[in-house]
Amino acid sequence: MATLLLVDGHAYAYRAFYAIRKLNAPDGKATNAIYGFVKMFARLRMLVAPSHLAVIWDGGLSAERMAALPGYKAQRPPMPDDLETQIGNIQEYLEAAGIPSLQHPGVEADDIIATFAWQAARHDAKAVIASSDKDFFQLIGPAIGLLNPADKSERIWDESDVQNKTGVRPPQIVDWLSLIGDAVDNIPGVAGVGPKTAAGLLQRFGSLDAIYARLAEVSSERLRTSLAEAEAAVRRNQALIRLDAAVPGLSRWDDLINRGADLEKLFGQFQRWGFKSLAADVAALRARQGELFGALNGA
């Protein structure tokens, strides 16, 4: 079965930046995020062995989500300067490595990843999403898995992992997050409703629609009151949290393959950034390719 690896670009760049605290090129510029990203990406490819792949970058906040909640993601601090200067270099590396790297203005990476994941399913392929973002739990199913960098086992999560983590099934994740809110995205939930309470409600009633249709059956008066008062916000949360799996104008399925690395560019990049071991690896690969070319020409 063909497998599509979808990497949450900014999430892995941040992870790489904080995993390696100090690394600089010969010219003094920071390279810790670049080096960490290159190594992490190589590990992902080894674990997944994808036939298709892409790194997806945030192109800005969704206008629809901002209109629904002006404070959406407003609490997030600006990107550290030393990381921001390295994002372009990481994208430069991906281009030289022949790896599709996609960013669409005004489109969040999560929505592009969701669209490609469902596109893979339509091609009878499997998709593996590399991210720790719990919003992706809603996508997990027989053809879509999650490689969570926070899970040291390096297993690809399936539906049972989502249920063990949250207490609800993937189709219930949007409703679960709508009830508890999401502090990372600055989405407020229902007062007094935490993950366990939300999971208990959904285990009993099945969905938000059923909860509100049968609100009188909720035994706690305080919980009934909180749910009733927050209904409009909860319905809004559903629209904020549900990923858009129909982003138009994306690359075709056949474009999501490794186009082949430009070894000269990679070697130059690794030398410029001071990555001696990586430059040596590329040099050895160039030499092997040269030997093969010579052997073929002499045959």
PDB file of all heavy atoms in Angstrom, residues 74-96:
ATOM      1  N   ALA A  74      -4.705  34.119  19.598  1.00  0.00           N
ATOM      2  CA  ALA A  74      -4.125  35.447  19.830  1.00  0.00           C
ATOM      3  C   ALA A  74      -3.075  35.450  20.931  1.00  0.00           C
ATOM      4  O   ALA A  74      -2.231  36.348  20.990  1.00  0.00           O
ATOM      5  CB  ALA A  74      -5.233  36.443  20.165  1.00  0.00           C
ATOM      6  N   GLN A  75      -3.119  34.455  21.806  1.00  0.00           N
ATOM      7  CA  GLN A  75      -2.209  34.454  22.955  1.00  0.00           C
ATOM      8  C   GLN A  75      -0.835  33.894  22.621  1.00  0.00           C
ATOM      9  O   GLN A  75       0.075  33.943  23.441  1.00  0.00           O
ATOM     10  CB  GLN A  75      -2.845  33.652  24.098  1.00  0.00           C
ATOM     11  CG  GLN A  75      -2.560  32.152  24.125  1.00  0.00           C
ATOM     12  CD  GLN A  75      -3.158  31.375  22.950  1.00  0.00           C
ATOM     13  OE1 GLN A  75      -3.858  31.927  22.129  1.00  0.00           O
ATOM     14  NE2 GLN A  75      -2.867  30.097  22.888  1.00  0.00           N
ATOM     15  N   ARG A  76      -0.669  33.375  21.419  1.00  0.00           N
ATOM     16  CA  ARG A  76       0.607  32.753  21.074  1.00  0.00           C
ATOM     17  C   ARG A  76       1.717  33.802  20.957  1.00  0.00           C
ATOM     18  O   ARG A  76       1.545  34.827  20.304  1.00  0.00           O
ATOM     19  CB  ARG A  76       0.487  31.984  19.761  1.00  0.00           C
ATOM     20  CG  ARG A  76      -0.413  30.759  19.873  1.00  0.00           C
ATOM     21  CD  ARG A  76      -0.321  29.894  18.641  1.00  0.00           C
ATOM     22  NE  ARG A  76      -1.108  28.691  18.765  1.00  0.00           N
ATOM     23  CZ  ARG A  76      -1.137  27.701  17.881  1.00  0.00           C
ATOM     24  NH1 ARG A  76      -0.378  27.807  16.780  1.00  0.00           N
ATOM     25  NH2 ARG A  76      -1.879  26.643  18.060  1.00  0.00           N
ATOM     26  N   PRO A  77       2.861  33.549  21.584  1.00  0.00           N
ATOM     27  CA  PRO A  77       3.966  34.514  21.492  1.00  0.00           C
ATOM     28  C   PRO A  77       4.550  34.515  20.080  1.00  0.00           C
ATOM     29  O   PRO A  77       4.400  33.537  19.337  1.00  0.00           O
ATOM     30  CB  PRO A  77       4.979  33.985  22.514  1.00  0.00           C
ATOM     31  CG  PRO A  77       4.694  32.523  22.595  1.00  0.00           C
ATOM     32  CD  PRO A  77       3.210  32.379  22.407  1.00  0.00           C
ATOM     33  N   PRO A  78       5.192  35.595  19.686  1.00  0.00           N
ATOM     34  CA  PRO A  78       5.819  35.625  18.357  1.00  0.00           C
ATOM     35  C   PRO A  78       6.932  34.596  18.265  1.00  0.00           C
ATOM     36  O   PRO A  78       7.521  34.200  19.272  1.00  0.00           O
ATOM     37  CB  PRO A  78       6.364  37.055  18.257  1.00  0.00           C
ATOM     38  CG  PRO A  78       6.497  37.514  19.667  1.00  0.00           C
ATOM     39  CD  PRO A  78       5.403  36.844  20.436  1.00  0.00           C
ATOM     40  N   MET A  79       7.211  34.173  17.047  1.00  0.00           N
ATOM     41  CA  MET A  79       8.284  33.205  16.826  1.00  0.00           C
ATOM     42  C   MET A  79       9.619  33.817  17.236  1.00  0.00           C
ATOM     43  O   MET A  79       9.895  34.980  16.927  1.00  0.00           O
ATOM     44  CB  MET A  79       8.322  32.820  15.344  1.00  0.00           C
ATOM     45  CG  MET A  79       9.355  31.768  14.993  1.00  0.00           C
ATOM     46  SD  MET A  79       9.384  31.384  13.211  1.00  0.00           S
ATOM     47  CE  MET A  79       7.759  30.645  13.010  1.00  0.00           C
ATOM     48  N   PRO A  80      10.466  33.069  17.960  1.00  0.00           N
ATOM     49  CA  PRO A  80      11.794  33.594  18.311  1.00  0.00           C
ATOM     50  C   PRO A  80      12.558  34.015  17.058  1.00  0.00           C
ATOM     51  O   PRO A  80      12.503  33.344  16.023  1.00  0.00           O
ATOM     52  CB  PRO A  80      12.463  32.401  19.002  1.00  0.00           C
ATOM     53  CG  PRO A  80      11.331  31.557  19.504  1.00  0.00           C
ATOM     54  CD  PRO A  80      10.232  31.716  18.501  1.00  0.00           C
ATOM     55  N   ASP A  81      13.278  35.116  17.165  1.00  0.00           N
ATOM     56  CA  ASP A  81      14.004  35.646  16.004  1.00  0.00           C
ATOM     57  C   ASP A  81      14.956  34.612  15.414  1.00  0.00           C
ATOM     58  O   ASP A  81      15.063  34.469  14.191  1.00  0.00           O
ATOM     59  CB  ASP A  81      14.784  36.906  16.398  1.00  0.00           C
ATOM     60  CG  ASP A  81      13.864  38.088  16.686  1.00  0.00           C
ATOM     61  OD1 ASP A  81      12.704  38.049  16.241  1.00  0.00           O
ATOM     62  OD2 ASP A  81      14.320  39.033  17.353  1.00  0.00           O
ATOM     63  N   ASP A  82      15.674  33.892  16.295  1.00  0.00           N
ATOM     64  CA  ASP A  82      16.655  32.925  15.809  1.00  0.00           C
ATOM     65  C   ASP A  82      16.004  31.758  15.079  1.00  0.00           C
ATOM     66  O   ASP A  82      16.651  31.111  14.250  1.00  0.00           O
ATOM     67  CB  ASP A  82      17.507  32.392  16.971  1.00  0.00           C
ATOM     68  CG  ASP A  82      18.663  33.325  17.323  1.00  0.00           C
ATOM     69  OD1 ASP A  82      18.881  34.281  16.563  1.00  0.00           O
ATOM     70  OD2 ASP A  82      19.324  33.080  18.331  1.00  0.00           O
ATOM     71  N   LEU A  83      14.743  31.471  15.394  1.00  0.00           N
ATOM     72  CA  LEU A  83      14.019  30.428  14.663  1.00  0.00           C
ATOM     73  C   LEU A  83      13.483  30.978  13.348  1.00  0.00           C
ATOM     74  O   LEU A  83      13.585  30.328  12.298  1.00  0.00           O
ATOM     75  CB  LEU A  83      12.870  29.878  15.509  1.00  0.00           C
ATOM     76  CG  LEU A  83      11.931  28.887  14.798  1.00  0.00           C
ATOM     77  CD1 LEU A  83      12.714  27.706  14.220  1.00  0.00           C
ATOM     78  CD2 LEU A  83      10.851  28.389  15.766  1.00  0.00           C
ATOM     79  N   GLU A  84      12.939  32.178  13.403  1.00  0.00           N
ATOM     80  CA  GLU A  84      12.348  32.769  12.201  1.00  0.00           C
ATOM     81  C   GLU A  84      13.378  32.872  11.075  1.00  0.00           C
ATOM     82  O   GLU A  84      13.060  32.642   9.901  1.00  0.00           O
ATOM     83  CB  GLU A  84      11.779  34.151  12.524  1.00  0.00           C
ATOM     84  CG  GLU A  84      10.966  34.761  11.399  1.00  0.00           C
ATOM     85  CD  GLU A  84      10.223  36.013  11.838  1.00  0.00           C
ATOM     86  OE1 GLU A  84      10.482  36.512  12.950  1.00  0.00           O
ATOM     87  OE2 GLU A  84       9.379  36.486  11.066  1.00  0.00           O
ATOM     88  N   THR A  85      14.597  33.194  11.420  1.00  0.00           N
ATOM     89  CA  THR A  85      15.637  33.332  10.388  1.00  0.00           C
ATOM     90  C   THR A  85      16.021  31.987   9.774  1.00  0.00           C
ATOM     91  O   THR A  85      16.628  31.947   8.696  1.00  0.00           O
ATOM     92  CB  THR A  85      16.900  33.979  10.975  1.00  0.00           C
ATOM     93  OG1 THR A  85      17.416  33.150  12.037  1.00  0.00           O
ATOM     94  CG2 THR A  85      16.617  35.367  11.512  1.00  0.00           C
ATOM     95  N   GLN A  86      15.646  30.887  10.439  1.00  0.00           N
ATOM     96  CA  GLN A  86      16.031  29.556   9.947  1.00  0.00           C
ATOM     97  C   GLN A  86      14.939  28.861   9.133  1.00  0.00           C
ATOM     98  O   GLN A  86      15.235  27.883   8.447  1.00  0.00           O
ATOM     99  CB  GLN A  86      16.426  28.657  11.126  1.00  0.00           C
ATOM    100  CG  GLN A  86      17.670  29.130  11.873  1.00  0.00           C
ATOM    101  CD  GLN A  86      18.035  28.205  13.013  1.00  0.00           C
ATOM    102  OE1 GLN A  86      18.509  27.091  12.811  1.00  0.00           O
ATOM    103  NE2 GLN A  86      17.809  28.669  14.241  1.00  0.00           N
ATOM    104  N   ILE A  87      13.694  29.356   9.209  1.00  0.00           N
ATOM    105  CA  ILE A  87      12.598  28.706   8.490  1.00  0.00           C
ATOM    106  C   ILE A  87      12.885  28.677   6.988  1.00  0.00           C
ATOM    107  O   ILE A  87      12.722  27.649   6.321  1.00  0.00           O
ATOM    108  CB  ILE A  87      11.258  29.407   8.765  1.00  0.00           C
ATOM    109  CG1 ILE A  87      10.867  29.268  10.248  1.00  0.00           C
ATOM    110  CG2 ILE A  87      10.161  28.830   7.873  1.00  0.00           C
ATOM    111  CD1 ILE A  87      10.565  27.866  10.695  1.00  0.00           C
ATOM    112  N   GLY A  88      13.322  29.793   6.443  1.00  0.00           N
ATOM    113  CA  GLY A  88      13.639  29.840   5.021  1.00  0.00           C
ATOM    114  C   GLY A  88      14.743  28.873   4.645  1.00  0.00           C
ATOM    115  O   GLY A  88      14.721  28.276   3.563  1.00  0.00           O
ATOM    116  N   ASN A  89      15.728  28.708   5.540  1.00  0.00           N
ATOM    117  CA  ASN A  89      16.813  27.762   5.274  1.00  0.00           C
ATOM    118  C   ASN A  89      16.306  26.321   5.269  1.00  0.00           C
ATOM    119  O   ASN A  89      16.760  25.495   4.459  1.00  0.00           O
ATOM    120  CB  ASN A  89      17.917  27.910   6.328  1.00  0.00           C
ATOM    121  CG  ASN A  89      18.637  29.242   6.258  1.00  0.00           C
ATOM    122  OD1 ASN A  89      18.844  29.899   7.281  1.00  0.00           O
ATOM    123  ND2 ASN A  89      19.017  29.667   5.073  1.00  0.00           N
ATOM    124  N   ILE A  90      15.380  26.015   6.181  1.00  0.00           N
ATOM    125  CA  ILE A  90      14.801  24.668   6.204  1.00  0.00           C
ATOM    126  C   ILE A  90      14.051  24.404   4.901  1.00  0.00           C
ATOM    127  O   ILE A  90      14.169  23.324   4.302  1.00  0.00           O
ATOM    128  CB  ILE A  90      13.862  24.506   7.418  1.00  0.00           C
ATOM    129  CG1 ILE A  90      14.661  24.561   8.725  1.00  0.00           C
ATOM    130  CG2 ILE A  90      13.086  23.190   7.329  1.00  0.00           C
ATOM    131  CD1 ILE A  90      13.811  24.599   9.981  1.00  0.00           C
ATOM    132  N   GLN A  91      13.308  25.397   4.436  1.00  0.00           N
ATOM    133  CA  GLN A  91      12.585  25.241   3.174  1.00  0.00           C
ATOM    134  C   GLN A  91      13.565  25.121   1.999  1.00  0.00           C
ATOM    135  O   GLN A  91      13.320  24.381   1.042  1.00  0.00           O
ATOM    136  CB  GLN A  91      11.622  26.411   2.990  1.00  0.00           C
ATOM    137  CG  GLN A  91      10.491  26.398   4.013  1.00  0.00           C
ATOM    138  CD  GLN A  91       9.635  27.649   4.004  1.00  0.00           C
ATOM    139  OE1 GLN A  91      10.063  28.705   3.546  1.00  0.00           O
ATOM    140  NE2 GLN A  91       8.414  27.541   4.513  1.00  0.00           N
ATOM    141  N   GLU A  92      14.686  25.831   2.105  1.00  0.00           N
ATOM    142  CA  GLU A  92      15.738  25.723   1.084  1.00  0.00           C
ATOM    143  C   GLU A  92      16.305  24.301   1.064  1.00  0.00           C
ATOM    144  O   GLU A  92      16.543  23.723  -0.012  1.00  0.00           O
ATOM    145  CB  GLU A  92      16.838  26.742   1.402  1.00  0.00           C
ATOM    146  CG  GLU A  92      18.020  26.735   0.452  1.00  0.00           C
ATOM    147  CD  GLU A  92      19.119  27.686   0.917  1.00  0.00           C
ATOM    148  OE1 GLU A  92      18.827  28.603   1.722  1.00  0.00           O
ATOM    149  OE2 GLU A  92      20.277  27.492   0.494  1.00  0.00           O
ATOM    150  N   TYR A  93      16.523  23.735   2.241  1.00  0.00           N
ATOM    151  CA  TYR A  93      16.993  22.348   2.339  1.00  0.00           C
ATOM    152  C   TYR A  93      15.999  21.384   1.689  1.00  0.00           C
ATOM    153  O   TYR A  93      16.390  20.491   0.919  1.00  0.00           O
ATOM    154  CB  TYR A  93      17.222  21.963   3.803  1.00  0.00           C
ATOM    155  CG  TYR A  93      17.078  20.478   4.044  1.00  0.00           C
ATOM    156  CD1 TYR A  93      18.059  19.585   3.618  1.00  0.00           C
ATOM    157  CD2 TYR A  93      15.930  19.975   4.655  1.00  0.00           C
ATOM    158  CE1 TYR A  93      17.913  18.221   3.802  1.00  0.00           C
ATOM    159  CE2 TYR A  93      15.771  18.614   4.840  1.00  0.00           C
ATOM    160  CZ  TYR A  93      16.760  17.743   4.406  1.00  0.00           C
ATOM    161  OH  TYR A  93      16.590  16.386   4.574  1.00  0.00           O
ATOM    162  N   LEU A  94      14.715  21.555   1.978  1.00  0.00           N
ATOM    163  CA  LEU A  94      13.694  20.658   1.425  1.00  0.00           C
ATOM    164  C   LEU A  94      13.669  20.726  -0.096  1.00  0.00           C
ATOM    165  O   LEU A  94      13.527  19.700  -0.775  1.00  0.00           O
ATOM    166  CB  LEU A  94      12.322  21.011   2.004  1.00  0.00           C
ATOM    167  CG  LEU A  94      12.138  20.723   3.498  1.00  0.00           C
ATOM    168  CD1 LEU A  94      10.843  21.344   4.007  1.00  0.00           C
ATOM    169  CD2 LEU A  94      12.146  19.221   3.767  1.00  0.00           C
ATOM    170  N   GLU A  95      13.822  21.930  -0.635  1.00  0.00           N
ATOM    171  CA  GLU A  95      13.846  22.079  -2.098  1.00  0.00           C
ATOM    172  C   GLU A  95      15.036  21.329  -2.686  1.00  0.00           C
ATOM    173  O   GLU A  95      14.897  20.607  -3.689  1.00  0.00           O
ATOM    174  CB  GLU A  95      13.912  23.551  -2.473  1.00  0.00           C
ATOM    175  CG  GLU A  95      13.914  23.798  -3.974  1.00  0.00           C
ATOM    176  CD  GLU A  95      13.973  25.270  -4.339  1.00  0.00           C
ATOM    177  OE1 GLU A  95      14.002  26.111  -3.422  1.00  0.00           O
ATOM    178  OE2 GLU A  95      13.997  25.565  -5.542  1.00  0.00           O
ATOM    179  N   ALA A  96      16.209  21.476  -2.081  1.00  0.00           N
ATOM    180  CA  ALA A  96      17.399  20.788  -2.582  1.00  0.00           C
ATOM    181  C   ALA A  96      17.261  19.276  -2.442  1.00  0.00           C
ATOM    182  O   ALA A  96      17.783  18.513  -3.265  1.00  0.00           O
ATOM    183  CB  ALA A  96      18.638  21.275  -1.843  1.00  0.00           C
TER     184      ALA A  96
END
